[in-house]
Amino acid sequence: MSSRRIDGGRLIDREKPLRFTFNGKNMKGFEGDTLASALLANRQILVGRSFKYHRPRGIVTSGPEEPNALMGVGTKRRFEPNVRATTAELFDGMVAESQNHWPSLEFDVGAVNNHLSKFFPAGFYYKTFIHPRPFWKHVFEPVIRQAAGLGKAPRARDADTYEHFNISVDVLVTGGGIAGLAAALAAGRAGAEVLLLEQAAHWGGRAPVDLAAGPALADPVMIGGQGVEDWIEASLAELQSLPNVHLRARTTHIGAYDHGYNIAVERLSDHAPGSDGPRQRFWRIRASRIVTATGALERPISFVGNDLPGVMLASAMRDYVVNYGVSPGRRTVVVTTNDDGYRTAFGLRDAGMDVPLILDARSTITGALPLAAREAGFKVAPGKGIGSVSGKGRVEKLTVASVDGTGAVLDEIPCDAVAIAGGWSPAVHLWSQAGGKLDWDEAAAMFLPDPDRPPLGADGAANLIAAGAADGALLTHEALASGWEAGAAAADALGQSAPETRPEASASEEAPTTSIWLMPRGAGADKRAKAWLDFQNDVKVSDVELASQEGYLSVEHAKRYTTLGMATDQGKLSNINGLAVLAEASGRAIPEVGTTTFRPPYTPVTMGAIAGEARGKLFQPLRRTPIHGWHEALGAHFEPVGQWRRPYAFPAPGEDLHDAVNREITTTRHKVGLVDASTLGKILVKGPDAGKFLDMVYTGRISTLKPGRCRYGLMCNEGGYLMDDGVVARIDETTFLCHTTSGGADHVHGHLEEWLQTEWWDWQVHTANVTEAYGQIGVAGPEARTLLETLGGMDLSEEALPFMGWVDCVLGGFKVRVYRISFSGELSFEVAVAAGEALALWERLMDAGAAFGAAPYGTEALHVMRAEKGFIMIGDETDGTVIPQDLGLDWAISKKKDDYIGKRGQERMHMTDPDRWRLVGLETTEGGVLAHGALALDEGKTPNGQRATQGRVTSTYYSPILKRGVALGLVRDGPERMGEILTFSNRDGPEIAAKIVPPGVLDGEAS
């Protein structure tokens, strides 16, 4: 293959040369080049090595479907692996390196795998990475792990910044080709708010290339009396003038989800690193209607040696010739299954290259393009295909084969490039991601969006419309009409009508017929074993046949068994051919085989764009309560609780933390203490089915709770393990307020939403996380009621506000909600107030409390007091393996409910094992304090030779009230072993003896 720079190049500026390096070699390009076009212009044919066999790989495509030319681009803090050279815009000083080889691209010792390929068939890892286990684990696993992956993960911190952007529009149009522009014009003229996205830096899609590379037909395609490029320019100018239309080039739509939610990534300065502002922008888009004009991808053809550098998609060759002024080869054979391949033959000849032969797999050829090719003097061989290509590291010759089923070799042709045109596959990934179904079009040999089974929006109507080549409209006039109709339909569904005047294109093109040609079985299994389907993952025709032979008839099973279409390829090039092989091998038709799942993101996205500004100090932004500043001013010692910073203790001058905690406990137990409880999660659950929903979420029955009352609830995951707890308050017949642990609000809210959206999607329930809307102040101790009464405005007597009740009222001039609940075991109230008034209320309470000796207390005092009462703490008494029954919380599990999340999990054999560790109190025999996490030792050893254990300490503190340590722990058969002495490990000294006692060692109840 002798690629080189030639005349032309509509996208490059030869007045602006650029310099770059590839594997340390200095090279030159022009502004407008991609890295791929610049490499070809510099005669760099070999660009990488394949994943499994390390075979030499060249550039195959010119777009995001490229499987081979994946590069590491940049250095140090601006290094990014797996960048597609075909979409990376060249910039001055670019540093690029190839991947997946050692010690060099040209000499790669990993290529030995290619000679051992018979030992690495499809699925070999499932059969061999088993026994003998020590051999694999210690000998081969380190080697395999070292070989895993294609690129190298960057080690330095990313120097660039990224941002997120949210937008809501009426109509989102994806694709800036003929169809996309027409759709945006129709919707924009109707008055709809339109966002038009195009993944490339240029508008118009393939139309300018295809028409420039085609033959000089009698009637060139015109749109509205203009040339196609003139119409594109005029359309862009009109769209830019409309205030309701937004255009974004270099923006890839990577995911379509439910309810019109979409994500896209805009490349702002990838082509100009170091520029001011973010490198990329991550778009979150809500759209009432979506038009996908995403075009189509050309398919390769499978034959022996089709992965050699020099074999390239025919459309990609046109792109390099027309767009970048690059010749992929001097002598190119065109191999096609449809009329479109003839465009490349014309384009190559017009650019001065030799096309000795066009091989057309169809025996009957009647289209205008093949006829024009014959008249122009091209040698066309109908009913012929390619048998193989060969050469030392690049294409040097090919053999012509019959397609009659025998695969007989008919001729041998010297050449340095092969253009393959296997037909087109509409880019239906967004349609499928959103839930749309596909139909197989036999004549066109492609899967198309099924208009009778479209993705549905929240209103139950179709919210996604396919247009242009993405809907099978491959010709200019078809794509134009399809795009306009899609845009008009999207606007009309929103009550906005597009004007009747629409652009019209002349229909001088002729619809092509397409076939899928695979090397016939008569060519021999040894040859079929070297015909490639997936260039990136080294999947051959024979691999899929082996999967079928071994019973992997489901396309999803065959995909995983062979790795066909996995990783960054996502089946862009290999999907249809792989389905055809599987269908042939299993005696089925292609539509019976079906398609694999298209998962977002369809094209890779950088982790930086996903993270946005969530990095460094912003990776997990600190959350502060409305009273945080007051705590800081008093000299509070803070501790992290989830994303919050909560006061651990408030040491007075001359006090250490231990003394401060003891003072706060004593003050609260004997007088009154105040705690900032604003961090407690608060999730509003509302709707006619809210009670029914919460009955499924909590282990207890919530639906019977009366308005004005509270109930303690336990929340388990589907495995039955305890995940959160808190007090639920019923506000009215359809509204509940669920309190969670400080660090659990976001997790619990996500848990509720997941079940609502995936399991009980038809229940009338909505949730809202209102944690930060309120400040919450706990007032605890014997003088708590008296202190609150001094503020005036409400009756806090036992009769007016009994235990586990709540009331909305005015307290000292503040509109508040007061809960009569306790976590310390003392008389306690929690006062919720609007976040903006929380500090003022806190200061009022502190001022009024001075007469009672009131003091603030922190989280450590809170933990000691609850442990004295035997109350559990999520995260201390739970670790993801504990169920409510282990903690003696059977009373919080309703006996009248048929089901709740986790119920069946708790009925499994190991969950009902009587030997499970269960909650007890622990009291050291010498009056000391047990160590956190200390293990209760047992006789004998475990099967792996460690000392056997029979329990562990979950919470342990010094109690200034009892003048000794208090502890909770989980012990085997604990509740049945009261009074028994256990020996606990102590990493800081000798073992410690402790007696099993009931949890809750402090006398007295809340009053």
Side-chain angles (χ1 to χ4, degrees):
M1 184 178 183
S2 304
S3 63
R4 67 191 190 283
R5 188 75 73 176
I6 58 175
D7 292 338
R10 57 184 287 268
L11 299 183
I12 62 172
D13 186 346
R14 295 177 186 264
E15 299 299 318
K16 297 180 179 178
L18 304 174
R19 296 183 179 274
F20 70 103
T21 65
F22 174 72
N23 287 352
K25 294 186 288 187
N26 294 319
M27 297 184 177
K28 296 179 181 179
F30 296 109
E31 186 174 288
D33 263 323
T34 63
L35 175 57
S37 66
L39 288 171
L40 289 172
N42 283 272
R43 303 176 185 270
Q44 182 64 48
I45 311 306
L46 180 62
V47 296
R49 293 280 177 166
S50 64
F51 176 62
K52 186 161 69 171
Y53 299 131
H54 289 248
R55 289 173 64 88
R57 289 287 190 255
I59 296 167
V60 175
T61 76
S62 60
E65 68 273 27
E66 174 60 37
N68 295 337
L70 274 62
M71 307 286 178
V73 174
T75 59
K76 297 180 180 177
R77 296 186 63 191
R78 285 200 167 93
F79 175 79
E80 183 179 356
N82 292 320
V83 175
R84 280 177 163 79
T86 49
T87 58
E89 296 178 56
L90 194 69
F91 58 84
D92 198 48
M94 175 184 274
V95 176
E97 59 184 41
S98 52
Q99 302 179 149
N100 201 46
H101 53 71
W102 184 84
S104 69
L105 176 61
E106 290 74 18
F107 179 76
D108 178 16
V109 297
V112 68
N113 289 356
N114 189 43
H115 302 291
L116 302 174
S117 60
K118 66 175 62 178
F119 300 106
F120 302 115
F124 76 95
Y125 25 79
Y126 297 121
K127 304 171 184 176
T128 55
F129 293 174
I130 302 175
H131 299 293
R133 183 171 178 79
F135 179 78
W136 284 110
K137 185 172 181 61
H138 300 294
V139 178
F140 276 103
E141 182 177 332
V143 177
I144 293 169
R145 288 191 180 279
Q146 185 67 29
L150 284 172
K152 299 176 182 177
R155 295 183 177 274
R157 183 180 294 273
D158 192 343
D160 290 306
T161 60
Y162 304 82
E163 69 178 21
H164 286 188
F165 189 79
N166 297 279
I167 188 173
S168 294
V169 295
D170 295 327
V171 180
L172 169 64
V173 180
T174 299
I178 296 292
L181 292 171
L185 281 172
R189 288 177 183 175
E193 192 82 8
V194 178
L195 175 62
L196 175 60
L197 307 180
E198 166 54 44
Q199 65 182 1
H202 307 279
W203 301 88
R206 297 206 52 80
V209 177
D210 289 346
L211 297 177
L217 298 176
D219 299 310
V221 175
M222 306 288 284
I223 301 179
Q226 303 178 85
V228 171
E229 288 203 74
D230 292 335
W231 179 84
I232 292 171
E233 186 175 340
S235 298
L236 284 173
E238 179 181 348
L239 290 170
Q240 289 166 344
S241 70
L242 294 175
N244 56 311
V245 177
H246 316 279
L247 285 74
R248 283 292 182 275
R250 297 189 175 97
T251 305
T252 305
H253 187 172
I254 61 174
Y257 303 85
D258 295 341
H259 306 297
Y261 177 66
N262 304 267
I263 56 175
V265 174
E266 180 179 9
R267 302 181 305 281
L268 299 170
S269 60
D270 280 18
H271 56 292
S275 302
D276 292 336
R279 176 188 170 210
Q280 295 179 356
R281 180 179 293 130
F282 189 89
W283 288 70
R284 294 190 180 100
I285 307 163
R286 289 280 185 184
S288 299
R289 293 294 183 270
I290 306 159
V291 176
T292 59
T294 46
L297 304 176
E298 190 168 30
R299 291 195 295 265
I301 299 173
S302 295
F303 50 84
V304 176
N306 62 333
D307 65 328
L308 265 181
V311 178
M312 185 182 290
L313 294 180
S315 59
M317 283 197 177
R318 297 203 296 274
D319 288 339
Y320 290 117
V321 169
V322 175
N323 286 337
Y324 305 107
V326 173
S327 160
R330 295 179 182 273
R331 182 176 171 84
T332 304
V333 173
V334 175
V335 185
T336 186
T337 64
N338 63 95
D339 291 6
D340 199 68
Y342 291 84
R343 294 185 188 278
T344 299
F346 278 101
L348 294 177
R349 177 177 287 187
D350 291 346
M353 286 157 276
D354 183 20
V355 181
L357 181 64
I358 300 174
L359 299 173
D360 195 323
R362 299 169 297 176
S363 57
T364 303
I365 311 172
T366 59
L369 282 169
L371 178 61
R374 285 193 176 99
E375 292 176 349
F378 284 99
K379 183 179 179 182
V380 178
K384 302 296 187 294
I386 189 167
S388 66
V389 296
S390 58
K392 294 182 179 179
R394 64 182 63 185
V395 172
E396 293 178 355
K397 61 182 179 181
L398 64 78
T399 60
V400 179
S402 169
V403 297
D404 59 5
T406 64
V409 174
L410 305 176
D411 199 0
E412 186 174 277
I413 307 292
C415 59
D416 64 352
V418 177
I420 50 177
W424 292 87
S425 297
V428 295
H429 52 287
L430 294 174
W431 175 277
S432 298
Q433 286 173 14
K437 305 303 179 183
L438 303 174
D439 265 344
W440 175 253
D441 186 322
E442 188 66 36
M446 60 177 63
F447 278 103
L448 295 173
D450 184 349
D452 296 327
R453 296 181 293 169
L456 301 179
D459 58 0
N463 71 336
L464 195 147
I465 307 169
D471 196 35
L474 300 179
L475 303 181
T476 304
H477 68 280
E478 293 176 342
L480 185 71
S482 173
W484 180 271
E485 290 169 5
D492 184 64
L494 303 174
Q496 298 163 313
S497 299
E500 291 296 326
T501 305
R502 63 176 65 193
E504 300 287 348
S506 56
S508 60
E509 302 162 288
E510 185 172 319
T513 58
T514 301
S515 64
I516 295 179
W517 181 75
L518 300 170
M519 171 170 282
R521 290 183 179 274
D526 57 330
K527 291 187 176 180
R528 289 172 68 89
K530 298 176 183 178
W532 303 88
L533 294 170
D534 186 326
F535 301 136
Q536 187 175 105
N537 296 307
D538 281 329
V539 180
K540 306 180 293 294
V541 169
S542 60
D543 291 326
V544 177
E545 291 176 335
L546 178 62
S548 174
Q549 181 181 338
E550 298 193 356
Y552 294 95
L553 301 180
S554 164
V555 64
E556 295 288 2
H557 291 163
K559 171 182 176 179
R560 282 152 184 79
Y561 192 67
T562 63
T563 70
L564 177 74
M566 295 181 71
T568 63
D569 179 67
Q570 285 287 295
K572 296 180 183 69
L573 294 186
S574 59
N575 193 24
I576 298 298
N577 288 344
L579 295 176
V581 173
L582 185 59
E584 181 190 47
S586 59
R588 294 176 291 170
I590 289 178
E592 293 179 63
V593 175
T595 63
T596 54
T597 302
F598 295 94
R599 292 182 173 86
Y602 187 65
T603 54
V605 55
T606 63
M607 295 299 292
I610 295 173
E613 295 180 350
R615 54 184 290 182
K617 292 182 178 180
L618 296 179
F619 174 70
Q620 191 178 62
L622 295 183
R623 303 173 74 179
R624 298 175 172 86
T625 74
I627 313 172
H628 185 91
W630 190 96
H631 303 324
E632 280 188 322
L634 196 66
H637 179 82
F638 291 95
E639 70 167 338
V641 180
Q643 293 179 343
W644 296 98
R645 291 296 179 267
R646 296 193 68 182
Y648 176 89
F650 295 87
E655 277 186 332
D656 61 18
L657 286 176
H658 178 73
D659 293 336
V661 171
N662 290 344
R663 173 180 51 79
E664 292 168 12
I665 294 169
T666 303
T667 299
T668 304
R669 290 293 191 206
H670 294 157
K671 299 177 183 177
V672 60
L674 275 69
V675 63
D676 183 0
S678 304
T679 60
L680 291 177
K682 308 165 195 73
I683 299 174
L684 198 68
V685 180
K686 186 175 180 63
D689 295 322
K692 179 171 67 171
F693 172 58
L694 293 179
D695 278 349
M696 295 300 296
V697 169
Y698 288 97
T699 61
R701 187 177 288 278
I702 304 298
S703 60
T704 58
L705 189 62
K706 303 296 184 184
R709 300 293 295 166
C710 303
R711 187 167 292 165
Y712 177 69
L714 302 175
M715 193 178 296
C716 298
N717 60 25
E718 53 267 44
Y721 300 111
L722 190 57
M723 59 175 282
D724 207 274
D725 69 343
V727 171
V728 180
R730 187 163 198 167
I731 309 305
D732 57 39
E733 289 300 321
T734 62
T735 310
F736 297 80
L737 186 64
C738 302
H739 291 87
T740 76
T741 56
S742 292
D746 289 340
H747 174 65
V748 169
H749 189 219
H751 176 72
L752 300 183
E753 281 296 314
E754 179 180 2
W755 283 91
L756 276 178
Q757 294 182 30
T758 61
E759 186 69 20
W760 302 305
W761 54 269
D762 55 342
W763 288 8
Q764 298 182 59
V765 185
H766 289 282
T767 70
N769 188 344
V770 296
T771 300
E772 295 181 76
Y774 299 95
Q776 198 141 315
I777 301 168
V779 183
E783 302 291 345
R785 180 180 286 119
T786 307
L787 170 56
L788 291 175
E789 287 175 341
T790 61
L791 270 64
M794 64 175 294
D795 183 0
L796 293 172
S797 65
E798 176 69 23
E799 295 74 20
L801 184 57
F803 186 60
M804 297 303 283
W806 67 268
V807 64
D808 283 337
C809 58
V810 176
L811 180 66
F814 296 91
K815 293 179 65 175
V816 298
R817 177 172 292 157
V818 181
Y819 303 91
R820 176 81 161 72
I821 52 182
S822 178
F823 190 54
S824 63
E826 293 293 335
L827 171 66
S828 178
F829 301 84
E830 288 191 14
V831 185
V833 65
E837 297 183 322
L839 177 59
L841 177 58
W842 174 273
E843 291 176 333
R844 178 81 65 83
L845 286 167
M846 289 302 302
D847 291 343
F852 304 96
Y857 64 93
T859 55
E860 185 66 3
L862 182 68
H863 292 172
V864 174
M865 289 188 285
R866 64 94 187 168
E868 290 173 339
K869 284 290 184 176
F871 298 162
I872 70 157
M873 171 69 75
I874 297 294
D876 287 2
E877 276 62 59
T878 64
D879 63 355
T881 67
V882 174
I883 60 177
Q885 294 86 341
D886 298 335
L887 304 177
L889 295 174
D890 306 68
W891 58 267
I893 301 174
S894 174
K895 306 298 188 294
K896 299 179 181 179
K897 294 197 312 182
D898 294 329
D899 202 5
Y900 58 83
I901 297 172
K903 179 178 175 63
R904 284 181 289 280
Q906 292 165 4
E907 293 171 348
R908 289 175 291 175
M909 184 181 301
H910 67 283
M911 295 291 210
T912 58
D913 187 343
D915 289 336
R916 285 184 67 85
W917 294 2
R918 287 180 285 161
L919 187 71
V920 296
L922 297 167
E923 182 180 317
T924 58
T925 58
E926 301 297 328
V929 179
L930 287 166
H932 281 280
L935 296 172
L937 303 175
D938 201 1
E939 298 297 328
K941 293 186 177 182
T942 64
N944 61 5
Q946 294 179 316
R947 178 72 178 270
T949 61
Q950 55 182 322
R952 62 181 173 85
V953 175
T954 58
S955 296
T956 177
Y957 308 97
Y958 174 78
S959 168
I961 304 300
L962 299 172
K963 307 300 183 185
R964 59 176 173 79
V966 295
L968 298 173
L970 294 167
V971 175
R972 185 176 64 238
D973 299 328
E976 288 79 40
R977 300 169 66 182
M978 290 297 158
E980 187 174 331
I981 304 297
L982 302 179
T983 300
F984 284 84
S985 63
N986 184 1
R987 60 179 176 271
D988 298 323
E991 297 170 348
I992 299 177
K995 180 172 63 174
I996 299 176
V997 298
V1001 294
L1002 190 64
D1003 292 333
E1005 298 294 338
S1007 59

